[in-house]
Amino acid sequence: MTFPYKLVATDLDGTLLRDDDTVSERTREALAAVTAAGAAHIIVTGRAVPWTRHILDDLGYEGLAVCGQGAQVYHAGEHKLLTSLTLDRQLAGLALSKVEAEVGPLALAASRDGLDGEVLVGPGYRVQEGPLPTVFAEDPAELWSAPLNKVYIQHPDLDDDALAKAARSAVGNLVDVVMAGPGVVEILPLGLTKATGLSLAARRLGLKAADTLAFGDMPNDIPMFAWAQRGVAMANAHEDLKAVAQEITTSNEDDGIAVVLERLLQSYG
């Protein structure tokens, strides 16, 4: 059996994962068939490694994963961090003061660097329900006391798109701002995207952008789609991503990844 791409890159939340944080049997089988046909599968997620590891272990996934919005390349089989890029905390602090000067006070959370980096949550930050662990930091200064890979921001009134837009316009060229999911707006090192991390991981496997089929659902997947040969958005994807996708598949709840992979396997098999 042959497959037209040598690399399949899948986002995690809203894409590979169903809404209950599981991967369907059908999608597992489609990915297994693709890897049996010689393609590599790389998970590319905004989550940092500590929030991703348990899912990779559950999948029996032993390849490379791109985590932290491209900041980390992680070897799942060896439980080893291969590359890690941190956010300059001074620049981030300056950027945040510029955003707050425009929109008023923000609630913050911070993702610490490393294999066991905790996510610290400051006063007023609304944590989404679920299994992902966070540590409450009563003193906001605690958020800045160790190396970080990203800072999460929330605003009491502005929605995600409006906050991301206002923040992007306020920070100039100090840092990057990305909307990564519902309630998730992030401050990142300037120039860091999922495409950055994916290109590093692909290079380790001797693969290129022209070899790559990418799946995603949020605006933070736009650079990955621009880098890959083909970008497929889920039916549940943000409109900004759908606008740049070459194809729209069914939703993450309806095996959108498997639908495309099965079709390609059939066409080229």
Side-chain angles (χ1 to χ4, degrees):
M1 191 177 281
T2 59
F3 191 71
Y5 298 93
K6 293 178 185 168
L7 175 58
V8 175
T10 62
D11 169 49
L12 205 52
D13 295 281
T15 303
L16 180 62
L17 295 180
R18 292 179 290 193
D19 295 343
D20 64 358
D21 268 3
T22 62
V23 180
S24 76
E25 201 51 49
R26 181 181 174 189
T27 297
R28 286 174 190 251
E29 284 171 10
L31 285 165
V34 161
T35 52
H41 172 217
I42 293 183
I43 286 172
V44 187
T45 176
R47 299 184 189 211
V49 170
W51 274 6
T52 311
R53 274 190 308 191
H54 65 289
I55 289 167
L56 303 182
D57 291 344
D58 175 59
L59 278 172
Y61 181 89
E62 297 196 332
L64 299 180
V66 175
C67 301
Q69 230 54 279
Q72 301 169 317
V73 177
Y74 171 67
H75 193 304
E78 296 175 5
H79 292 102
K80 198 162 140 193
L81 201 51
L82 302 179
T83 66
S84 192
L85 181 70
T86 55
L87 176 65
D88 184 311
R89 283 169 280 169
Q90 211 171 346
L91 278 183
L94 179 57
L96 286 168
S97 65
K98 286 177 175 287
V99 179
E100 290 191 322
E102 293 295 321
V103 302
L106 299 168
L108 307 177
S111 174
R112 285 187 168 168
D113 186 42
L115 276 177
D116 301 304
E118 296 166 321
V119 173
L120 270 65
V121 172
Y125 191 90
R126 302 178 301 282
V127 178
Q128 295 178 15
E129 280 182 38
L132 301 177
T134 56
V135 176
F136 179 67
E138 210 161 325
D139 178 1
E142 242 186 289
L143 300 180
W144 305 96
S145 63
L148 306 174
N149 51 49
K150 66 171 84 170
V151 172
Y152 299 94
I153 61 174
Q154 287 179 348
H155 189 273
D157 305 313
L158 295 176
D159 68 24
D160 302 328
D161 288 314
L163 175 58
K165 188 178 175 186
R168 212 171 281 128
S169 132
V171 300
N173 288 325
L174 291 172
V175 293
D176 271 342
V177 179
V178 71
M179 203 276 262
V184 185
V185 178
E186 301 175 357
I187 301 278
L188 301 170
L190 188 66
L192 176 69
T193 68
K194 286 188 172 186
T196 326
L198 181 55
S199 65
L200 282 177
R203 202 177 308 153
R204 283 176 176 266
L205 300 177
L207 300 173
K208 305 185 290 293
D211 301 318
T212 307
L213 171 67
F215 292 87
D217 74 315
M218 279 290 157
N220 61 327
D221 294 314
I222 291 172
M224 178 166 76
F225 278 24
W227 182 83
Q229 176 71 21
R230 187 170 182 81
V232 180
M234 313 305 285
N236 49 288
H238 190 285
E239 291 306 317
D240 289 359
L241 187 70
K242 285 181 176 176
V244 300
Q246 277 103 341
E247 181 181 344
I248 297 169
T249 183
T250 54
S251 75
N252 62 321
E253 287 289 297
D254 297 315
D255 298 304
I257 291 175
V259 167
V260 174
L261 298 183
E262 288 163 359
R263 187 190 73 230
L264 290 170
L265 283 163
Q266 209 167 4
S267 303
Y268 289 84

